[in-house]
Amino acid sequence: MRLVMLTALGVGGATVFGSVLGFIFKKISHRFSDIVLSFAAGVMLAAAVMGLVIPSLELGGRYAIFITVAGIFVGAAFLNVIDKIVPHLHRLVGEEDENHNNANLNKVLLFVTAIAIHNLPEGIAAGVGFGSGDTSKAFIIAAGIALQNIPEGMVIIGPMLAAGVTPRKTFIAAMLTGAVEVIGTLIGYFAVSVASVILPFALAFAGGTMLYVISDEMIPETHAHGSQRGATYALLAGFCVMLVMDYLLG
């Protein structure tokens, strides 16, 4: 349990670390941001496949393929519903970049809320990984999510400061988005620990949420500013780094 708690704090703390970088580097080039986010997407892609989807197939028994496929689509549909309820993250990021001096506080707060809500299923994915009992796979999942949280934390800062939010309140907001991830990690861990029978579906569900985020948000965002070639190789690099880690830890 201590290990799970430390990992939860690390995953959530990555957002806070990213926000600190956001204060230091308030004007980050799109190219640099796209490369970092693409690398994180590759890490998350490998974590989703090797740490969640494949274990779901291995633990699903006779109907493993049906359970896994259903879990992936339910997880993706869950985030699709969230996208309809809250603003689309990257559309708001783009608007704030283009109208930096005229940022609207309400839109910025909705943007931060959207990030916080999206962090919940990511935290659940990390917790479910530990609930599976495979610590090495769980660390791979957590590392992938944490890497993705760093640039996410960075993009919160600029729009909020431009909207007139004080640095202190901006930092607190970033901490709260990270805290959501900690809560999600604990929910995921306890859910599969209490009811291990749902583990195969839970793993696939978590994998589906991660695949949805990668395809619907991360990849389009990294290909929207003319850096798609570098972003593609960065994604491949992130995927291969996690592939090597999985091989060495396996």
Side-chain angles (χ1 to χ4, degrees):
M1 180 57 200
R2 182 181 298 177
L3 187 60
V4 176
M5 192 64 206
L6 288 173
T7 303
L9 291 173
V11 170
T15 301
V16 179
F17 176 69
S19 69
V20 172
L21 294 179
F23 277 109
I24 298 172
F25 306 102
K26 293 177 184 174
K27 292 186 178 180
I28 301 169
S29 69
H30 270 308
R31 178 174 176 78
F32 178 77
S33 176
D34 290 344
I35 295 299
V36 172
L37 193 60
S38 287
F39 183 85
V43 169
M44 283 184 68
L45 179 60
V49 174
M50 295 182 293
L52 294 168
V53 175
I54 292 177
S56 173
L57 286 170
E58 293 172 345
L59 297 172
R62 182 177 179 183
Y63 301 105
I65 187 64
F66 301 106
I67 293 171
T68 300
V69 170
I72 290 172
F73 275 95
V74 171
F78 174 72
L79 277 192
N80 189 32
V81 170
I82 289 179
D83 267 340
K84 293 182 182 300
I85 296 173
V86 298
H88 192 284
L89 297 187
H90 298 296
R91 186 161 60 237
L92 276 178
V93 173
E95 289 175 4
E96 298 304 336
D97 286 343
E98 292 167 9
N99 305 295
H100 197 65
N101 295 323
N102 300 307
N104 180 277
L105 180 58
N106 289 331
K107 291 171 68 176
V108 173
L109 292 178
L110 285 173
F111 162 57
V112 175
T113 301
I115 287 181
I117 292 175
H118 277 69
N119 279 352
L120 183 63
E122 290 177 7
I124 291 174
V128 167
F130 277 99
S132 69
D134 190 333
T135 305
S136 63
K137 288 284 195 305
F139 274 126
I140 288 175
I141 297 165
I145 295 172
L147 275 174
Q148 185 261 344
N149 284 344
I150 294 174
E152 195 170 79
M154 291 171 70
V155 302
I156 294 174
I157 304 305
M160 291 195 71
L161 293 176
V165 182
T166 65
R168 180 173 174 271
K169 290 182 178 179
T170 297
F171 186 65
I172 290 174
M175 289 181 65
L176 290 175
T177 62
V180 170
E181 203 129 25
V182 175
I183 294 170
T185 302
L186 297 177
I187 290 173
Y189 174 72
F190 283 118
V192 297
S193 297
V194 172
S196 59
V197 68
I198 69 169
L199 180 57
F201 181 84
L203 287 167
F205 176 92
T209 62
M210 291 177 70
L211 292 172
Y212 180 93
V213 169
I214 294 165
S215 177
D216 186 67
E217 297 177 1
M218 297 177 75
I219 292 178
E221 171 65 11
T222 59
H223 284 61
H225 312 112
S227 305
Q228 55 266 29
R229 187 73 63 191
T232 297
Y233 282 106
L235 184 146
L236 293 174
F239 185 90
C240 289
V241 165
M242 298 308 283
L243 189 67
V244 171
M245 286 182 60
D246 184 65
Y247 176 78
L248 295 176
L249 293 174

